[in-house]
Amino acid sequence: MSNRPSDTPNLGSPLMAAMLVAFVGIGGAVAISQFAGSSGGPSKDQAEALERANEKADPFADLNRTAPTPIPTRAKSNGPTGSQASPAPRAYDSSPDDLFDSDAWTRGTAHARKGKALDAAATAAKKSGDQTTYVAKAVAAREEFTAALDDVRDWELKIRDEYGDGDRKVRIVIKEITAWSKVYRRYRKLATSDN
């Protein structure tokens, strides 16, 4: 007698025996019902075999059956599409306290302050109908925001990579740079001629 593990499953376990009985019973019932359905009705032997299969005890009757856990659903958004709302990533603080003291950020915000003043002047000129002043101020605002974006571009990528987009200070940086970009895009096609 060898001590090698057997290649055949252990049919002595209660679970394997129950599964075998269930498989045979279900398979037999399906085969009988298929045959009965195709021949216009079950024969006497088929009806008796089906009755015997239905009388057998449920091999899984002793198992504790519980209701499946429902899958949680997200609340629908109040938006026009009715799409499911995705939760915003959790905010955290991983960047240093002096993040805003960076040379790149200091230079960029200085250009952006000048750009915001020029943008306000361009908006006022447009409202008053002064197209020449509007174009001049808008082009100057675009140049300031271009310089601001150039100053912070590499630094922004570095801090996003290092601290992640969920960092509170990084989020402030992203929000501010996004605002700069919007003004730049508004004026990007302006030429120095009247448009």
Side-chain angles (χ1 to χ4, degrees):
M1 181 164 210
S2 73
N3 289 335
R4 281 187 5 191
S6 173
D7 290 338
T8 60
N10 181 3
L11 295 178
S13 76
L15 181 60
M16 287 299 288
M19 288 175 60
L20 183 62
V21 168
F23 178 77
V24 169
I26 292 170
V30 169
I32 291 170
S33 68
Q34 288 293 331
F35 182 72
S38 64
S39 65
S43 68
K44 183 178 180 184
D45 292 338
Q46 293 168 344
E48 288 174 2
L50 183 57
E51 189 175 318
R52 281 193 307 272
N54 288 334
E55 289 175 357
K56 292 194 183 232
D58 181 5
F60 302 107
D62 61 338
L63 294 178
N64 185 9
R65 294 180 180 161
T66 59
T69 306
I71 298 172
T73 57
R74 293 186 208 157
K76 297 265 183 181
S77 73
N78 293 331
T81 61
S83 61
Q84 291 186 349
S86 61
R90 196 173 60 111
Y92 52 85
D93 292 311
S94 63
S95 60
D97 292 337
D98 63 347
L99 184 72
F100 298 128
D101 295 336
S102 163
D103 290 339
W105 184 247
T106 304
R107 284 190 314 272
T109 53
H111 282 293
R113 270 193 299 280
K114 292 176 189 172
K116 287 176 185 179
L118 290 165
D119 177 43
T123 303
K126 187 173 185 177
K127 277 187 179 180
S128 69
D130 184 356
Q131 187 68 9
T132 305
T133 303
Y134 163 69
V135 171
K137 298 292 184 182
V139 169
R142 180 184 65 201
E143 290 170 2
E144 289 295 336
F145 282 113
T146 299
L149 293 168
D150 287 343
D151 284 339
V152 299
R153 180 178 296 119
D154 293 335
W155 177 76
E156 177 199 3
L157 294 174
K158 178 184 169 198
I159 65 169
R160 288 177 82 167
D161 185 47
E162 193 169 339
Y163 307 116
D165 289 351
D167 181 81
R168 285 182 177 87
K169 289 184 219 64
V170 172
R171 284 183 177 186
I172 291 169
V173 168
I174 293 169
K175 184 177 178 182
E176 189 68 20
I177 291 173
T178 301
W180 301 350
S181 297
K182 285 180 182 177
V183 178
Y184 166 79
R185 283 194 304 271
R186 188 175 344 130
Y187 297 136
R188 77 172 176 247
K189 292 186 179 179
L190 272 181
T192 53
S193 64
D194 291 341
N195 287 16

